[in-house]
Amino acid sequence: MSGTRILNAAMRSKIMSAEQAAALIQSGMNVGMSGFTGAGYPKVVPAALAKHIMDSNLNGKKFKIGVWTGASTAPELDGALAMVDGVEMRLPYQSDPTCRKRINAGEMEYIDIHLSHVSQFVWGGFLGKLDVAVVEVAGITEDGKLIPSSSVGNNKTWLDQADKIILEVNSWQSLDLEGMHDIYYGTALPPHRKPIPIIRTEDRIGQPYFNVDPSKIIAIVETNKPDRNSAFTPPDANSKLIAGHILDFLQHEVKMGRLPTNLLPLQSGVGNVANAVMAGLKDGPFENLTAYTEVLQDGMLELLKCGKMTCASATSFSLSPEALADLTANLKDFKNKIILRPQEISNHPEVIRRLGVIAMNGLIEADIYGNVNSTHIMGTSIMNGIGGSGDFARNAFISMFMTPSSAKGGTISCIVPMVSHVDHTEHDVQVIVTEQGLADLRGLSPKARAKVVIEKCAHPNFKPALQEYYERSLRYSPGRHTPHLLDEAFTFMPNWMANKAAREAWRDDSLVQADAWKK
Amino acid sequence: MSGTRILNAAMRSKIMSAEQAAALIQSGMNVGMSGFTGAGYPKVVPAALAKHIMDSNLNGKKFKIGVWTGASTAPELDGALAMVDGVEMRLPYQSDPTCRKRINAGEMEYIDIHLSHVSQFVWGGFLGKLDVAVVEVAGITEDGKLIPSSSVGNNKTWLDQADKIILEVNSWQSLDLEGMHDIYYGTALPPHRKPIPIIRTEDRIGQPYFNVDPSKIIAIVETNKPDRNSAFTPPDANSKLIAGHILDFLQHEVKMGRLPTNLLPLQSGVGNVANAVMAGLKDGPFENLTAYTEVLQDGMLELLKCGKMTCASATSFSLSPEALADLTANLKDFKNKIILRPQEISNHPEVIRRLGVIAMNGLIEADIYGNVNSTHIMGTSIMNGIGGSGDFARNAFISMFMTPSSAKGGTISCIVPMVSHVDHTEHDVQVIVTEQGLADLRGLSPKARAKVVIEKCAHPNFKPALQEYYERSLRYSPGRHTPHLLDEAFTFMPNWMANKAAREAWRDDSLVQADAWKK
């Protein structure tokens, strides 16, 4: 290695070891790290810092930092720092088991923020001072510009706002990434904002590099380590059924003249169901698709490859090792079809609304009136976070949420009388899909929604109980706009108080990943 | 009267009585009516229609229509039609006592929609066919253009989308309104959308008139009737305290460099507290204020008059008779300071985000973790609706919610452990203000929020109970990210199950106005 990716001579002088770089971070600092869905996070400085924190703690000197990222990272970052209890405050999103355990034990503070809001909050000074940025890049050009890595996230904001900067130059990342990114430098604080000039998914409005003030760079660490690329799981039966319902719905919308024949830009959350939808689209009737989304997964790459999709805009990759190998081998072909943007742009309400995105996101539980819980188990334990689902759902042209109808081997209903935490209100949820069917809630009053959600989405094992709750509510509810029996809204279900085993399982499961938890 | 405001000769031939016009509306139709906060609604056709419906019902022929508006209207519209049980489906907002009673009795369907979403839903065909538009205008020009009335609301959409149009030409409305409106014809369905070119509050991007296809006009009815202008109530002690906290906060934000010295465009909900904030600003240190809001109330008119505010953009007036007289007498002076826009523009997420609006909205109850209920009593009865509060809160630069800390003469706490309905999630609420104090929730985890909300916002009479709930939750909650005891989250408060009288009062009060209810 030794500087081969650092073409700027002055910057080469700042090369040091991860341990030396980590030692520059002090307790109490807020540290903005790169990373989004396991891509483009710093690979060695956080772990070196964790060891440093461990030593400090063993010596009786409490050492904690604030950790700000794009979204989720990997065990080497969130896992390592949480393991040594080194995180005072984590934002805006995480999905790490150790981190989650600390948060739910009350040992770590966590703020769950709309991903589009983070940059604005930091520029506005709402979250306090950002002391250090630790950002992975793929290389440094001769004139000192940074070639972004496999995710963009909040890196532009971290580099601009932090007092000091530590760079990890990762030679594992393909240098062919150069030119794929579109870093927009036209954002501002009000009253100086101008329209974001994206009219179509494929519009490039920025530059392929990050600007950086070289005087702020205090360390450069060279690495050669892979992103956390998880194995691809083929869609299971339920995912395929959900995908089938969504494809039928989209075809119906086209037939009714409510969507163009090539649909509108697709957004899709991460996971098995999302991949199944993409697989369905590969065999489906739609051509010239586009995606305006957060994360580019295997399924979307396949669509780009086979020509069904012409362009995908995201802020990060989240690929299996096989898909990554495919991408890397064909990066030059993919480069004109993929755009990676800062998450303030990939998730910007203005652009999402203008493009008319079709939003498809997962959920933990939905209630019969169309409220969605995306974040909490039993209303109290965080799973991961809201991520970008709110950015997309609120501003989408069509806002869909999808889930298997039951969890934990069928013992828990994902359709409930009242969700125990609300992340997406009845005003923002238009379509709910389970393997049982699809509930189109547009133009329906709460009572009409309850009927169709129970009828179309609930698992047959839970349908009678939900129906019984709804009918009794209709009769005894103090108000009949949104009939409820508050005394038992959370407690009547067989999967709740009455089923202590399932309840305990829910609690334990707050320690595992959302996707796995639904099995 | 007889055509004096209808300068287009061909249109004069369509003049008829309200009864004749109402007879053109048939059962089962969806009718898009003008009207927003008691301004600019049709004054005579709805009441004539209500009488027609009554006759039909008395003859055993069920007659019901769908009623779509801008927002709330008046007894002559919502009251009359609800009285005769003539409304099958009401959207997107109402505040009428008779209407509310029907909805909460389960006799009328109601869809509570973000005001910025309505136009998009109708253009997208999501709500079904719009059969007839009934729109009040101030006059018709010689070339057949329509001079808008005292609110714009969804009128452009109704006129464009309805099969047939009935106009009420109201000569009570000042003709000096001509030129005040800015009707933007640049919206489209995706993928044809372009940036909304508003950069500053005062930007005019459209035309002062509605276009109308004359062949769709089936009736023109002449009227001379006032808007529902409610008496101005001087701010009470609590409202003044709330306003004081908000002014202190804004000054602090300026001092910290987080807001410009002339602040950012203000949005404020309707009511006593909102007026108190405006009164406070009149005596405050800020100059060259602007407002980008839904409704222009007395307080804002005062700010414009005294020169503290340079421009106000809204979609409607909601004035006292005195303020209205002032406006009418000085309309030519006010005209270059006031812009009335369609509600899809006044509430557009793109523009709200770009301008960096400071949003100030009321609430029914807030919980200790920062979730806000704006719409439901006891989670089941609708009060009014979410209106534009979600459009503004989600996209604002600073999102504030305000309420007296207690209701019903102090028997009910407006700060609760868990709200019984969520309209604004923890992710969207940055500041909560009561007469007790202001809780700045930015950058705080759920537990930190709970501490500051209880400390700053709760009424002293309820503080110990809330504190006790929080501490017990912290100890016994299954998860400690958002500690709760779901078994008693709704029921522990002295104002809930334990206080049957107060509970009954809540129920009964779902029949009265939110503002009055808080007394």
Side-chain angles (χ1 to χ4, degrees), chain A residues 109 193 353 423 427 445, chain B residues 109 193 353 423 427 445 482:
Chain A
E109 300 298 293
R193 288 186 178 149
R353 168 84 171 221
D423 295 290
H427 316 282
S445 69
Chain B
E109 300 297 294
R193 287 186 179 149
R353 167 85 171 220
D423 295 291
H427 316 282
S445 69
T482 307

Side-chain angles (χ1 to χ4, degrees), chain A residues 367-371 415 424-432 439-457 467 470 481-483, chain B residues 89-90 109-114 121 376 382 421 423:
Chain A
D367 71 29
I368 57 176
Y369 296 112
N371 300 285
I415 306 295
H424 308 288
T425 73
E426 52 157 337
H427 316 282
D428 291 320
V429 178
Q430 296 181 320
V431 174
I432 297 176
D440 181 357
L441 310 180
R442 292 173 299 173
L444 299 186
S445 69
K447 289 192 287 293
R449 278 179 233 148
K451 279 175 211 148
V452 71
V453 168
I454 296 171
E455 173 60 29
K456 301 274 189 185
C457 297
Q467 189 63 34
Y470 174 67
H481 175 58
T482 307
Chain B
M89 168 66 84
R90 181 73 177 88
E109 300 297 294
Y110 175 51
I111 320 182
D112 182 13
I113 305 178
H114 295 298
F121 287 2
H376 280 65
I382 193 80
H421 185 89
D423 295 291

Side-chain angles (χ1 to χ4, degrees), chain B residues 31-349:
Chain B
V31 184
M33 307 226 192
S34 62
F36 200 111
T37 50
Y41 56 92
K43 307 292 189 293
V44 293
V45 172
L49 175 62
K51 287 176 189 156
H52 184 63
I53 290 174
M54 188 195 283
D55 288 340
S56 183
N57 284 340
L58 290 174
N59 288 326
K61 280 175 67 182
K62 204 70 203 153
F63 193 127
K64 286 201 177 194
I65 59 167
V67 177
W68 307 355
T69 63
S72 59
T73 65
E76 306 98 286
L77 196 167
D78 269 318
L81 290 169
M83 191 184 294
V84 298
D85 198 13
V87 183
E88 177 64 36
M89 168 66 84
R90 181 73 177 88
L91 64 86
Y93 183 91
Q94 64 76 39
S95 69
D96 180 81
T98 313
C99 213
R100 185 184 299 123
K101 193 171 178 177
R102 289 261 185 221
I103 295 167
N104 289 332
E107 299 163 356
M108 183 192 297
E109 300 297 294
Y110 175 51
I111 320 182
D112 182 13
I113 305 178
H114 295 298
L115 296 187
S116 76
H117 282 184
V118 181
S119 175
Q120 159 171 305
F121 287 2
V122 174
W123 281 92
F126 295 178
L127 301 176
K129 179 89 207 80
L130 184 66
D131 299 293
V132 185
V134 182
V135 173
E136 177 181 281
V137 296
I140 302 176
T141 65
E142 206 172 335
D143 58 351
K145 296 209 180 284
L146 309 181
I147 304 169
S149 174
S150 50
S151 70
V152 180
N154 285 314
N155 293 354
K156 170 183 154 280
T157 297
W158 298 166
L159 292 166
D160 283 353
Q161 286 283 302
D163 283 344
K164 305 285 175 196
I165 295 167
I166 297 172
L167 298 175
E168 286 197 9
V169 181
N170 186 356
S171 53
W172 175 86
Q173 299 284 4
S174 170
L175 263 187
D176 286 335
L177 285 172
E178 188 174 350
M180 182 177 271
H181 309 85
D182 186 56
I183 313 301
Y184 180 60
Y185 276 91
T187 56
L189 283 174
H192 305 294
R193 287 186 179 149
K194 301 212 154 38
I196 313 288
I198 295 176
I199 312 290
R200 296 169 309 170
T201 296
E202 58 267 34
D203 289 343
R204 287 182 172 271
I205 59 172
Q207 60 185 52
Y209 308 107
F210 292 122
N211 300 332
V212 65
D213 173 357
S215 73
K216 297 206 296 184
I217 301 176
I218 54 172
I220 297 181
V221 178
E222 293 184 287
T223 64
N224 185 345
K225 287 180 178 290
D227 278 335
R228 184 200 65 190
N229 296 97
S230 314
F232 175 75
T233 342
D236 61 12
N238 275 349
S239 299
K240 283 183 186 165
L241 286 168
I242 292 170
H245 297 314
I246 291 176
L247 287 170
D248 288 347
F249 170 78
L250 293 174
Q251 282 187 263
H252 179 71
E253 290 299 295
V254 170
K255 198 175 145 197
M256 298 297 286
R258 291 192 288 252
L259 282 178
T261 53
N262 68 335
L263 304 181
L264 288 166
L266 304 171
Q267 176 263 336
S268 120
V270 178
N272 200 338
V273 177
N275 263 325
V277 174
M278 296 302 134
L281 285 169
K282 197 179 162 191
D283 305 322
F286 309 111
E287 307 287 339
N288 300 311
L289 296 168
T290 61
Y292 197 86
T293 190
E294 264 177 30
V295 177
L296 209 148
Q297 277 192 285
D298 285 31
M300 229 170 242
L301 203 70
E302 281 289 306
L303 286 177
L304 287 169
K305 202 174 173 186
C306 75
K308 285 269 188 181
M309 183 172 277
T310 58
C311 179
S313 165
T315 192
S316 178
F317 290 107
S318 180
L319 298 172
S320 70
E322 300 73 35
L324 177 71
D326 191 7
L327 173 75
T328 309
N330 301 291
L331 209 41
K332 282 175 190 168
D333 293 337
F334 279 119
K335 210 185 289 185
N336 60 358
K337 297 179 182 173
I338 297 174
I339 306 175
L340 292 188
R341 310 180 191 269
Q343 74 192 64
E344 65 179 322
I345 303 298
S346 67
N347 288 33
H348 202 294

Side-chain angles (χ1 to χ4, degrees), chain B residues 1-3 6 11-25 44-45 165-169 217-223:
Chain B
M1 299 199 284
S2 200
I6 305 167
M11 291 202 190
R12 270 203 297 272
S13 69
K14 298 182 181 173
I15 297 175
M16 63 181 77
S17 72
E19 292 68 28
Q20 288 171 311
L24 301 171
I25 298 172
V44 293
V45 172
I165 295 167
I166 297 172
L167 298 175
E168 286 197 9
V169 181
I217 301 176
I218 54 172
I220 297 181
V221 178
E222 293 184 287
T223 64

